[in-house]
Amino acid sequence: RRLCASADTRQPLAYLRLRRAIRTVVEHRDIEPGQALPSERDLSQALGLSRVTVRKAIAGLVEEGLLTQRHGAGTFVAERIVKPMSRLTSFTEDLRARGLNPRSEFFERGIGEVTPEEAMAMNLSPGVAVVRLHRVRYAGDEPLAIERSVVPASVLPDPMLVHDSLYEALERRNARPRRALQRLRAVSLGAQHARLLHVPAGSAGLSIERRSFLDDGRVVEFTSSWYRGDIYDFVAELHTD
Ligand code: GLP
């Protein structure tokens, strides 16, 4: 019903409106993770849209990771968190797009002198000041990841500017990263990380390092994360050229 109400078919680019409408439905949990979407045919009939339009809207959301398609079975709201690797998004944005409630618990939110290792990783001069964040990232009560971020104080002068989301704080300072390099590695979670993530020690995890940059090439963050392997899928579109 909500889909019908918000997918105004008179609009040009109806597929974009339908895409937005489906996203809203998922965010409001009108269709829960794991549940099926109405079939393409039913959607196109109910909304008075062509099958091509419906298919295009769904394809976009599959690419975003919000929906998954099982051959012959239909289209479902994704159960695992599917994160497209080619998009430079934040933890907060990824979760909100799925109707989940992102939250951080801080172990550390301070400022100090860069360590030689961090200075090398971020191409900073020895001795400059950096903000350090060490947090467990939650969806509601469920811990999903542990993150350690280092940000030059020249970009973010005060760690308390980060209330929950680092990228929101950077955005407010006009320093939202535009490009990033990311490394993913399979790990088995050690006792300490596993305890914080509420999984048995030795569970599968993904270690992710991200170095992100401003347009002018300055480094904004160096973040090491440990994501739960039982919840996250990282997907990418590949091209031959
Ligand atoms: C992801 C990235 C981190 C980045 C974080 C920002 O988790 N792996 O490199 O720092 O998003 O998220 P937020 O803005 O929610 O703090």
Side-chain angles (χ1 to χ4, degrees), residues 15-16 18-19 22 52-62:
Y15 83 95
L16 285 178
L18 177 57
R19 196 159 137 175
I22 296 176
V52 174
T53 301
V54 172
R55 204 166 299 144
K56 203 164 163 191
I58 289 178
L61 293 165
V62 169

Side-chain angles (χ1 to χ4, degrees), residues 89-92 135 137 147 149 164-168 210 221 223 225 227:
T89 52
S90 70
F91 180 87
T92 301
R135 333 173 250 178
R137 316 298 313 264
E147 294 199 302
S149 302
D164 201 81
S165 161
L166 170 60
Y167 280 20
E168 277 174 16
R210 183 185 289 183
E221 68 165 328
T223 294
S225 319
Y227 279 75

Side-chain angles (χ1 to χ4, degrees), residues 115-172:
T115 65
E117 209 177 308
E118 290 162 352
M120 282 176 77
M122 300 175 79
N123 207 8
L124 295 175
S125 309
V128 299
V130 288
V131 161
R132 284 198 195 85
L133 310 171
H134 186 191
R135 333 173 250 178
V136 181
R137 316 298 313 264
Y138 293 84
D141 293 334
E142 178 117 15
L144 300 184
I146 299 164
E147 294 199 302
R148 261 181 199 280
S149 302
V150 185
V151 181
S154 55
V155 173
L156 190 74
D158 180 354
M160 290 305 161
L161 292 170
V162 183
H163 308 140
D164 201 81
S165 161
L166 170 60
Y167 280 20
E168 277 174 16
L170 292 170
E171 184 105 54
R172 286 193 291 273

